[in-house]
Amino acid sequence: MSSRFTQYILIAMALGIVMGTVVFNYMPDNRVAIAADVNLVAMLFLRLIKMIIAPLVFATLVGGIAHMGSGSRLGRIFAKTMGWFVTASFVSLLLGLIMVNLLEPGANFPGTLPDKSQSTGLPVSAFSFEKFLMHLIPTSIADAMAQNEILQIVVFAVFFAVALGSMPEERAKPILSMIDDLAHIMLKVTGYVMLFAPLAVWAAIMATVAKNGLGVLWKLIVFMGGFYLSLMILWIILIVVGFIVIGPRYKDLLRLIREPLMIAFSTASSEAAYPKTLEGLNRFGASSRISSFVLPLGYSFNLDGTMMYCTFASVFIAQTYHIDMPLGTQLAMLATLMITSKGVAGVPRASLVVIASTLSQFDIPEAGLLMIMGIDTFLDMGRSATNVIGNSLATAVVAKWEGELKPEHELGPDDVVPSDTVPGEPVPATH
């Protein structure tokens, strides 16, 4: 079934490109309207994904942490996870900075530059630690779930799970059992929603090509080529690190996350791939306690593709306007992006918002973003797929470090559980 589903995704992508090209070339007067109508299918699918993300994250995370045992173990896993995230983010940002300086895609930009005074319409605001903390803590868990603020849901779920784990077993057992059942149900719902994935992939690709055409890519072919070359290098780094830390089994993980990679690429949404990524990690053998904790955090703190794009695009815009950026200034920009990128989870086109805010702090015209906004969907496809492989690697590595990486196994209809123990039973000690 898995290989057949992959084939459906590939067929849907090919059909989308062909049909979108036909509409763009032969129905120029109606292409915008047709693209909008077709894109509705993709939007409905993404709304279905958003519908299940919050309860799925909450149920699996609470179940995993509650079964995890002592608070010191949770703290150790959190420290390892954040250490990996910070390192991966730094490497991704630095790679983007190195590649954009080597390739210089904006040095001889052939197009007309937007006027420096033009506005992008993006919600630009200066970063402050106070704003980050205010965004981190939810004022209402209902509001956080309604807005799909994954980071805020994680914060509440951690408090809830730790409190649940501290309760007497006879009182905690029925609640934990109910949460485990909720996770079962949400994973069942996920299976139903994913049946629509090929249709959504076709719609997303067709709408993008029908509206913009493939010719739009040629206007910024040097920029796009340099960015995708940089992504390929980042993939190589991630794959090499995966083989070093995990060993030959890493090729099995790459096979198991093939579907979420294609879903993320074709829909330009990392979020759309979340349920399938979680399933792939569980099939790979990563403990559900680990995957349900690390993966949601990764969606706020470990977006490797997005990180690299931030430095690459920022310096590219500076190059097009012939703005001199000494090494010290570029390193300061890297440090700024390292922080500002962590506070925009859940914001549409988040990377553009981060870049716009950063440009304003370094006196680079925000209007430069107008050059690349037209092709941002094509760029987002690569970023989203890279985010999936980065978060999958992080989860597998933490599971390996914690001694909770088991052999690969097939998942039956009732096998995907938010923890690796029977609800209510004590967690076996790990050493």
Side-chain angles (χ1 to χ4, degrees):
M1 177 62 187
S2 177
S3 61
R4 185 173 297 178
F5 186 83
T6 301
Q7 293 172 7
Y8 292 155
I9 294 288
L10 290 172
I11 292 170
M13 292 175 68
L15 280 175
I17 293 172
V18 171
M19 295 176 70
T21 302
V22 169
V23 170
F24 182 83
N25 290 327
Y26 297 102
M27 304 178 187
D29 296 334
N30 300 319
R31 64 191 183 201
V32 174
I34 293 174
D37 291 340
V38 172
N39 194 51
L40 180 61
V41 177
M43 290 299 101
L44 289 174
F45 174 74
L46 292 178
R47 288 179 74 91
L48 284 172
I49 291 292
K50 290 178 182 293
M51 175 185 75
I52 63 178
I53 286 292
L56 179 62
V57 169
F58 177 78
T60 54
L61 185 54
V62 170
I65 294 175
H67 284 295
M68 202 172 281
S70 65
S72 61
R73 185 162 181 262
L74 176 62
R76 184 180 70 244
I77 294 173
F78 179 77
K80 290 179 179 178
T81 300
M82 293 308 297
W84 180 274
F85 287 171
V86 170
T87 303
S89 294
F90 177 78
V91 169
S92 301
L93 288 165
L94 184 61
L95 177 61
L97 206 59
I98 292 172
M99 291 302 295
V100 76
N101 279 285
L102 286 176
L103 300 174
E104 295 189 324
N108 298 299
F109 184 69
T112 303
L113 297 177
D115 186 273
K116 294 183 179 181
S117 61
Q118 280 188 266
S119 172
T120 59
L122 295 170
V124 179
S125 60
F127 174 83
S128 70
F129 190 65
E130 179 185 357
K131 287 182 180 179
F132 173 73
L133 291 180
M134 293 295 286
H135 179 83
L136 182 68
I137 309 298
T139 55
S140 164
I141 184 57
D143 181 64
M145 287 192 167
Q147 300 298 325
N148 265 337
E149 293 282 3
I150 293 182
L151 188 55
Q152 294 184 2
I153 295 171
V154 168
V155 170
F156 177 82
V158 169
F159 277 99
F160 186 93
V162 171
L164 181 63
S166 67
M167 292 178 64
E169 183 179 342
E170 64 274 10
R171 299 185 67 181
K173 185 175 181 179
I175 299 175
L176 188 52
S177 178
M178 181 180 67
I179 290 173
D180 286 347
D181 288 341
L182 174 62
H184 274 294
I185 294 169
M186 292 314 304
L187 287 163
K188 286 270 192 181
V189 174
T190 296
Y192 301 145
V193 170
M194 282 300 159
L195 294 176
F196 298 98
L199 184 62
V201 166
W202 163 79
I205 295 290
M206 179 180 170
T208 300
V209 176
K211 182 179 179 181
N212 302 298
L214 295 175
V216 70
L217 306 181
W218 293 105
K219 297 178 182 177
L220 289 161
I221 191 66
V222 174
F223 172 70
M224 282 199 66
F227 175 66
Y228 270 93
L229 174 62
S230 304
L231 277 183
M232 287 176 60
I233 295 173
L234 181 56
W235 276 53
I236 291 171
I237 293 173
L238 291 172
I239 290 172
V240 169
V241 171
F243 276 103
I244 291 173
V245 179
I246 299 173
R249 280 195 64 196
Y250 187 59
K251 68 179 185 298
D252 298 321
L253 177 61
L254 294 175
R255 171 176 51 82
L256 290 170
I257 64 169
R258 181 177 53 197
E259 290 174 18
L261 277 175
M262 287 192 295
I263 291 172
F265 181 81
S266 53
T267 61
S269 170
S270 305
E271 198 173 59
Y274 179 91
K276 276 288 184 181
T277 306
L278 184 64
E279 178 186 314
L281 286 164
N282 287 341
R283 287 185 60 190
F284 178 63
S287 161
S288 298
R289 288 190 293 268
I290 301 297
S291 60
S292 61
F293 179 74
V294 177
L295 195 58
L297 280 177
Y299 270 68
S300 292
F301 291 101
N302 191 46
L303 302 176
D304 296 333
T306 301
M307 294 293 95
M308 198 189 72
Y309 180 67
C310 286
T311 46
F312 195 94
S314 298
V315 178
F316 164 76
I317 292 171
Q319 290 173 353
T320 59
Y321 284 96
H322 303 290
I323 297 173
D324 182 48
M325 292 196 71
L327 178 61
T329 304
Q330 293 193 34
L331 292 177
M333 176 183 284
L334 185 151
T336 302
L337 286 166
M338 189 80 177
I339 300 171
T340 57
S341 59
K342 308 306 180 189
V344 294
V347 177
R349 308 182 88 174
S351 58
L352 294 180
V353 176
V354 171
I355 294 169
S357 301
T358 305
L359 293 178
S360 62
Q361 295 183 50
F362 289 88
D363 297 322
I364 302 171
E366 175 196 334
L369 276 173
L370 295 171
M371 292 184 292
I372 57 178
M373 285 177 72
I375 60 166
D376 186 65
T377 299
F378 295 101
L379 300 170
D380 204 6
M381 294 163 76
R383 298 197 302 263
S384 298
T386 306
N387 294 340
V388 170
I389 192 173
N391 281 322
S392 299
L393 173 60
T395 305
V397 166
V398 174
K400 169 91 171 177
W401 286 344
E402 284 295 305
E404 296 204 29
L405 191 58
K406 301 176 181 178
E408 180 183 336
H409 60 280
E410 288 293 328
L411 299 177
D414 296 311
D415 287 339
V416 185
V417 293
S419 62
D420 299 300
T421 58
V422 177
E425 289 188 0
V427 179
T430 55
H431 302 284

